[in-house]
Amino acid sequence: MLPKKSLDWGRSKSCIRELAAYGSARKAEIGADKVFDFSIGNPSVPAPAQVNETLIELLRTQESTELHGYTPAAGLPSLREAIAKDLRTRLDAPVSADGIYVCCGAAAGLAACCRGLLCPGETALTFAPFFPEYRVFVEGAGGVFGVVPPAEGLQPDLDALERRLTADVKRVLVNTPNNPSGVVLSAESLQRMSGILRAAERRFGHPIYLISDEPYRELVYDGPLPPNVLGFYDDAIVCYSWSKSLSLPGERIGYLAVSDRMAEKEEVFAALAGAARASGYVNPPSLMQRCVERCLGLTSDLSVYRANRDLLYSGLTEAGFECVYPDGAFYLFMKSPEPDAKAFSERAKQFELLLVPSDDFGMEGYVRLAYCVSPEMIRRALPAFRALAESYGL
Amino acid sequence: MLPKKSLDWGRSKSCIRELAAYGSARKAEIGADKVFDFSIGNPSVPAPAQVNETLIELLRTQESTELHGYTPAAGLPSLREAIAKDLRTRLDAPVSADGIYVCCGAAAGLAACCRGLLCPGETALTFAPFFPEYRVFVEGAGGVFGVVPPAEGLQPDLDALERRLTADVKRVLVNTPNNPSGVVLSAESLQRMSGILRAAERRFGHPIYLISDEPYRELVYDGPLPPNVLGFYDDAIVCYSWSKSLSLPGERIGYLAVSDRMAEKEEVFAALAGAARASGYVNPPSLMQRCVERCLGLTSDLSVYRANRDLLYSGLTEAGFECVYPDGAFYLFMKSPEPDAKAFSERAKQFELLLVPSDDFGMEGYVRLAYCVSPEMIRRALPAFRALAESYGL
């Protein structure tokens, strides 16, 4: 009687949340300092002091009916202007205020991209490993979720992409830096991917929109900001969130940026707005819109994540594990010493190590470690990792 | 190439917003005090002082990573408990914490009800006059939007409901106090409606969920809180928002309450959660969740709206207009002296009066006046209303 898909989505437990719930129970049982919980991607560093200071100043000085009032559905005009200017300045990205749709976090933006830009039965492709909600958003829009396996080093397999680009493929989703692998799309990958997509657009006579999910954009550790898709491909939309850069995941504030160079920009923007409207998104939270406008360009102190990455990567490789070197985000993808990642995750529990098996991310044989944790916990966990490695004879 | 419905929803301008935009331009032209703008339902009274004080205290005392962190998708357990307790205490409503889904305002809740509880092709009925977004939410879910005309005094026409209840009708939407009419569903209407729906459930062998949209619940002027649907009908869901009661429309915080007496409560809750998930709702804004938990039971100073209602209703009826007496909300529904409400709205503009024609609300021949404005503006507007009446020979 009820829509089956909604029921399934409401009932299915994510592997990550189940492991986190096990962790909470286990911590209560044996003590929080005895459990090494790498399950959840919740920022561990506070928002910059300016965020709370700005919020308090807004609350003290702005008129209540305006501060907490409705804003336009796409966000405050001044915020949209400021975002476009920031993207032009920092990323040299071809975007204007009329292509910015401020939304309730990256998830809202991605869901609007799927619902607004996919007709039922059309395919959206992504690359493994991928964030599990992508499947829900694509199938929620009535689309077909297609997965392209990765190449060496977990960069996208572009030969496989080329083979998979049939007439039914209308959208491609990428995620850089990547959750769960931490891999950043290289300029070379973006360049070649763009050429392949342009050729397919010409071959099939329809646009193929490339949607780039970038909530971890500022979380890169070995250089400046990663290359941005908007510089490579005209039919591109960037989806951003301040969840990680400002440590505000619960506040649900982010944006979509539609390229100025997109031929159908006006139609695409209208379809995104219409999809958000039909999903009941009236406007992004008003107080937080005013706050991020005043905090543009700031980030939390992200140096902790870099130190954690270095500590964890070296500790794990020294213990004998094979890991994908993470350029960004706060995740590390580690190869399971046995083919079954779920069995490996279960064995790790015996050492009080909580590692998410990779199956939900569309790949077998890996585990994801979220290292947005205290450095002390990583240090305390390393002997447990060594013992786990030894149990496999590594 | 793009989904037609999303494009249409993104492009269609609401009559209300067009009139408000005209108003802004006109105010810039002749002065804000010369234009009598009754177009928009934006609360005109500030949030209670405790709201901003609570926000500031939370920002000063709570740890950032927790305060701004992810919460469970359905909201903080403590908030869900507090809401259920408040509803049991104040409304004697049969609800528990596990039936409360905190969401990004009433719009998010209604959209989740439509997407989660309607299979494509099934009908959701509502009563005219209705809030225009209902159509978008129902058709967005692939449902059929059915409208039952009102009876005398704009209470629902229950004979018409009985005739319209065919096997395809799975959901009924009501809105009390009503936007645009201000009419409150009486206990008698609710009692009879419940009996009719129960009989139809037995006749067709499937549940008919009654979804009651109640963002104006506390805005009633002639007595205690209005009778609540949860006391009359078991297969009921209430949709609430703090937008109007706490003057926080831009902050997007509200909830769904599923009756404890609903036989399929667990499935319905899962389907609502799944629909919200597929729409990209991760959690309601976290700071605001903590704030409303501490401000439960408070309201803004709503006495201004009552005074406005009295002033406007008596002024308009004395001028010769026929008005529906509004028991609640901050809207007044006035009969157009000519059959074409759009023409009447155009003529009113000549008197600098901005009145929304009723056509988008599913009824012809009325205009809606939002009286969430300053009492001074109403006083200044009354001579213009009298002149408008005279121009029709009233």
Side-chain angles (χ1 to χ4, degrees):
Chain A
M1 288 296 304
L2 294 168
K4 190 185 169 310
K5 284 202 286 188
S6 289
L7 258 177
D8 289 346
W9 294 321
R11 278 175 171 167
S12 62
K13 296 269 180 281
S14 103
C15 197
I16 302 170
R17 289 201 178 188
E18 281 197 346
L19 195 61
Y22 166 84
S24 300
R26 186 71 179 148
K27 286 172 204 171
E29 200 180 329
I30 64 166
D33 61 322
K34 304 280 191 305
V35 182
F36 311 116
D37 186 352
F38 294 94
S39 65
I40 285 267
N42 226 337
S44 58
V45 297
Q50 290 94 315
V51 165
N52 282 8
E53 285 162 12
T54 303
L55 289 168
I56 290 172
E57 202 204 320
L58 287 165
L59 289 162
R60 283 215 170 126
T61 58
Q62 305 282 301
E63 209 182 328
S64 171
T65 49
E66 193 177 325
L67 183 62
H68 300 302
Y70 291 116
T71 76
L76 291 165
S78 57
L79 173 58
R80 296 170 69 198
E81 281 288 355
I83 291 168
K85 194 177 158 196
D86 177 64
L87 290 176
R88 286 195 304 268
T89 312
R90 278 199 305 147
L91 304 183
D92 201 22
V95 286
S96 314
D98 63 1
I100 302 294
Y101 195 93
V102 189
C103 54
C104 292
L110 289 168
C113 282
C114 292
R115 197 170 182 184
L117 305 183
L118 265 183
C119 293
E122 292 180 343
T123 297
L125 287 184
T126 197
F127 298 92
F130 57 81
F131 184 55
E133 295 303 280
Y134 291 178
R135 183 188 294 277
V136 177
F137 299 150
V138 170
E139 294 181 353
V144 177
F145 186 65
V147 180
V148 179
E152 227 12 66
L154 299 197
Q155 288 285 327
D157 184 337
L158 298 176
D159 294 326
L161 172 67
E162 208 159 12
R163 287 191 299 272
R164 186 61 190 78
L165 277 172
T166 42
D168 60 305
V169 176
K170 299 296 175 68
R171 317 294 168 233
V172 174
L173 282 167
V174 295
N175 178 208
T176 176
N178 181 271
N179 174 9
S181 73
V183 167
V184 174
L185 268 184
S186 67
E188 294 67 32
S189 281
L190 277 173
Q191 182 88 48
R192 209 187 134 209
M193 188 188 298
S194 302
I196 290 168
L197 292 176
R198 269 192 298 270
E201 287 190 324
R202 282 192 299 270
R203 196 158 66 244
F204 299 117
H206 61 236
I208 300 175
Y209 298 117
L210 179 58
I211 298 148
S212 182
D213 181 25
E214 305 183 359
Y216 300 97
R217 185 168 62 212
E218 282 79 13
L219 282 71
V220 286
Y221 307 120
D222 299 312
L225 288 181
N228 196 278
V229 68
L230 293 166
F232 293 86
Y233 187 66
D234 293 353
D235 282 334
I237 301 169
V238 158
C239 186
Y240 183 76
S241 163
W242 283 279
S243 291
K244 319 298 176 182
S245 60
L246 288 181
S247 302
L248 299 174
E251 305 299 358
R252 314 313 304 143
I253 182 94
Y255 60 80
L256 293 171
V258 182
S259 172
D260 267 348
R261 297 185 188 141
M262 185 183 286
E264 284 189 310
K265 177 184 168 186
E266 185 274 327
E267 292 89 333
V268 163
F269 195 85
L272 295 172
R277 181 182 171 190
S279 298
Y281 286 104
V282 173
N283 60 245
S286 50
L287 171 65
M288 216 45 78
Q289 282 189 63
R290 288 170 168 88
C291 176
V292 293
E293 183 177 340
R294 286 158 179 80
C295 294
L296 268 187
L298 286 180
T299 66
S300 298
D301 176 7
L302 308 174
S303 64
V304 180
Y305 300 138
R306 177 190 284 114
N308 282 356
R309 188 227 20 202
D310 294 342
L311 185 62
L312 195 58
Y313 183 81
S314 60
L316 293 175
T317 48
E318 278 163 27
F321 289 108
E322 192 180 323
C323 301
V324 178
Y325 183 77
D327 294 303
F330 39 46
Y331 304 107
L332 187 144
F333 219 42
M334 179 166 94
K335 201 145 194 193
S336 165
E338 58 179 313
D340 183 348
K342 285 181 181 165
F344 176 54
S345 170
E346 281 305 312
R347 167 121 43 131
K349 276 186 190 169
Q350 296 168 19
F351 298 83
E352 310 300 348
L353 292 162
L354 307 190
L355 318 176
V356 180
S358 60
D359 306 67
D360 283 1
F361 301 108
M363 276 186 77
E364 292 178 353
Y366 285 81
V367 289
R368 185 193 81 168
L369 285 74
Y371 56 79
C372 42
V373 296
S374 75
E376 293 70 38
M377 191 191 96
I378 297 179
R379 269 183 221 106
R380 278 187 281 110
L382 287 179
F385 277 113
R386 285 194 289 270
L388 175 63
E390 276 159 26
S391 83
Y392 281 97
L394 299 183
Chain B
M1 291 295 306
L2 294 168
K4 190 185 170 310
K5 284 202 286 189
S6 289
L7 258 177
D8 289 347
W9 294 321
R11 281 176 168 167
S12 62
K13 297 269 179 283
S14 102
C15 198
I16 302 170
R17 290 201 178 187
E18 281 198 344
L19 196 61
Y22 166 85
S24 300
R26 187 69 180 149
K27 286 172 203 169
E29 200 180 328
I30 64 166
D33 61 322
K34 305 281 191 305
V35 182
F36 311 117
D37 186 351
F38 294 95
S39 65
I40 286 267
N42 227 336
S44 57
V45 298
Q50 290 95 316
V51 165
N52 282 8
E53 285 162 13
T54 302
L55 289 169
I56 290 172
E57 201 203 321
L58 286 165
L59 289 163
R60 283 212 168 132
T61 57
Q62 306 282 301
E63 209 182 327
S64 171
T65 49
E66 192 175 326
L67 183 61
H68 299 302
Y70 290 117
T71 76
L76 292 164
S78 58
L79 173 58
R80 297 170 69 198
E81 282 287 355
I83 292 168
K85 192 176 160 198
D86 177 65
L87 289 175
R88 287 196 302 269
T89 312
R90 279 198 305 147
L91 304 183
D92 201 23
V95 285
S96 313
D98 64 0
I100 303 294
Y101 195 93
V102 189
C103 54
C104 292
L110 289 168
C113 283
C114 292
R115 196 170 182 182
L117 304 182
L118 265 182
C119 292
E122 291 180 344
T123 298
L125 287 184
T126 196
F127 298 92
F130 56 82
F131 184 55
E133 295 303 283
Y134 291 179
R135 182 189 296 276
V136 178
F137 298 151
V138 170
E139 295 181 352
V144 176
F145 186 66
V147 180
V148 180
E152 229 8 68
L154 299 196
Q155 288 284 326
D157 184 337
L158 298 175
D159 295 326
L161 172 68
E162 207 159 11
R163 289 191 299 272
R164 185 61 190 79
L165 278 172
T166 43
D168 60 306
V169 175
K170 299 295 174 69
R171 318 294 168 232
V172 175
L173 282 167
V174 295
N175 176 209
T176 177
N178 181 271
N179 174 8
S181 74
V183 167
V184 174
L185 268 184
S186 67
E188 295 67 32
S189 281
L190 278 173
Q191 182 88 46
R192 215 190 128 207
M193 188 188 299
S194 302
I196 290 168
L197 292 176
R198 270 192 296 271
E201 287 189 324
R202 282 192 299 270
R203 196 158 68 243
F204 299 116
H206 61 236
I208 301 175
Y209 298 116
L210 179 58
I211 298 149
S212 182
D213 180 26
E214 306 184 358
Y216 301 96
R217 185 167 64 214
E218 282 78 13
L219 281 71
V220 285
Y221 307 119
D222 299 311
L225 287 182
N228 196 279
V229 67
L230 293 166
F232 293 86
Y233 187 65
D234 293 352
D235 282 333
I237 301 169
V238 159
C239 185
Y240 183 76
S241 163
W242 284 280
S243 291
K244 319 297 177 183
S245 60
L246 288 180
S247 302
L248 298 174
E251 306 299 359
R252 314 313 305 144
I253 182 95
Y255 61 79
L256 293 171
V258 181
S259 172
D260 267 348
R261 297 185 187 140
M262 185 182 285
E264 285 189 310
K265 176 183 167 185
E266 185 274 328
E267 292 90 331
V268 162
F269 195 85
L272 295 172
R277 181 181 171 192
S279 299
Y281 287 103
V282 173
N283 60 246
S286 51
L287 172 65
M288 217 44 78
Q289 283 190 62
R290 290 170 167 89
C291 176
V292 293
E293 182 177 342
R294 286 158 178 82
C295 294
L296 268 187
L298 286 181
T299 66
S300 299
D301 176 7
L302 307 174
S303 64
V304 180
Y305 300 138
R306 178 191 283 113
N308 282 356
R309 191 241 354 218
D310 294 343
L311 186 62
L312 195 58
Y313 183 81
S314 61
L316 293 175
T317 49
E318 279 163 25
F321 289 109
E322 194 180 319
C323 301
V324 180
Y325 183 78
D327 293 303
F330 41 46
Y331 304 106
L332 187 144
F333 219 43
M334 180 166 93
K335 201 148 191 188
S336 165
E338 57 180 312
D340 182 349
K342 284 182 182 165
F344 176 54
S345 171
E346 281 304 312
R347 166 121 42 130
K349 276 186 190 169
Q350 296 169 20
F351 298 82
E352 309 300 347
L353 292 162
L354 308 190
L355 318 176
V356 180
S358 60
D359 306 66
D360 284 1
F361 301 108
M363 276 186 78
E364 292 178 353
Y366 285 82
V367 290
R368 185 192 82 168
L369 285 74
Y371 56 79
C372 41
V373 296
S374 75
E376 294 69 37
M377 192 191 94
I378 297 179
R379 270 184 219 105
R380 278 186 283 110
L382 288 179
F385 277 113
R386 285 194 290 271
L388 175 64
E390 277 160 26
S391 83
Y392 281 97
L394 299 182

